[in-house]
Amino acid sequence: MSFRTGLGFDAHAFQEGRKLVLGGVVIPHSRGLAGHSDADVLTHALMDALLGACGERDIGEHFPDHDPAYEGISSLVLLEEVVGLLRERKYRLVNADCVVVAQEPRLAPHIQAMREALAFTMGVEIERVGVKATTTEGMGFAGRGEGIAAMATVLLQRPET
Ligand code: MG
């Protein structure tokens, strides 16, 4: 087996009048995140980690934010495409681990649903997908409630060729 790791990071600003979607789950909140797609910052960080691990560039290259095809699209649909690309190249996800950085809203009640949605979309068991949430104790843009950031790391394996 050969192993590859990947790392992803993303941040989006809050915007009034939008739904808050994290890890494919709609989270009840007064504001959502600004973005061309559904602005699912967690799924974006995860996709960048997966793309990086298999030697690709990033979601900006695969799904350009000036392409009307991706306007308002569910990021889970994009994640499915990324997973298809991994499969073509014989990669399997060993595990993914993610952190959402948000001062608000409280995410603990939604962690399990996010893990389930991401694991289901990637076609893996839930225990292979970690999602954690933290505040920054009021510091920085997340702490001031200006937006939400997310980080993800993944490990892929494939048979040695
Ligand atoms: Mg993004």
Side-chain angles (χ1 to χ4, degrees):
M1 286 288 172
S2 71
F3 292 90
R4 308 281 296 249
T5 71
L7 174 69
F9 175 82
D10 196 18
H12 283 254
F14 276 120
Q15 186 180 322
E16 304 287 335
R18 281 178 61 97
K19 269 193 277 194
L20 177 60
V21 184
L22 292 173
V25 176
V26 178
I27 314 264
H29 192 49
S30 55
R31 300 179 289 173
L33 295 172
H36 183 68
S37 64
D38 62 359
D40 183 342
V41 66
L42 168 56
T43 303
H44 291 184
L46 177 58
M47 286 192 284
D48 265 353
L50 292 168
L51 289 169
C54 73
E56 289 291 316
R57 281 182 57 184
D58 55 29
I59 54 171
E61 190 186 73
H62 282 265
F63 313 110
D65 64 7
H66 50 79
D67 188 334
Y70 303 121
E71 195 174 340
I73 198 170
S74 165
S75 294
L76 291 186
V77 174
L78 307 181
L79 177 60
E80 243 171 39
E81 277 193 44
V82 169
V83 168
L85 192 144
L86 301 189
R87 285 209 187 99
E88 270 169 33
R89 296 178 189 187
K90 314 277 183 246
Y91 283 110
R92 282 191 51 227
L93 178 68
V94 177
N95 76 301
D97 198 18
C98 312
V99 183
V100 182
V101 184
Q103 198 66 36
E104 57 169 60
R106 208 173 147 261
L107 296 176
H110 308 287
I111 294 288
Q112 198 65 3
M114 292 189 246
R115 295 179 68 200
E116 276 168 17
L118 293 172
F120 179 80
T121 304
M122 293 191 288
V124 299
E125 307 91 320
I126 189 167
E127 73 266 16
R128 292 182 186 270
V129 182
V131 175
K132 297 184 277 330
T134 186
T135 71
T136 58
E137 311 239 324
M139 296 179 288
F141 69 85
R144 290 187 297 269
E146 293 169 10
I148 294 181
M151 281 167 268
T153 178
V154 301
L155 181 65
L156 306 182
Q157 68 174 34
R158 77 169 170 188
E160 203 78 68
T161 46

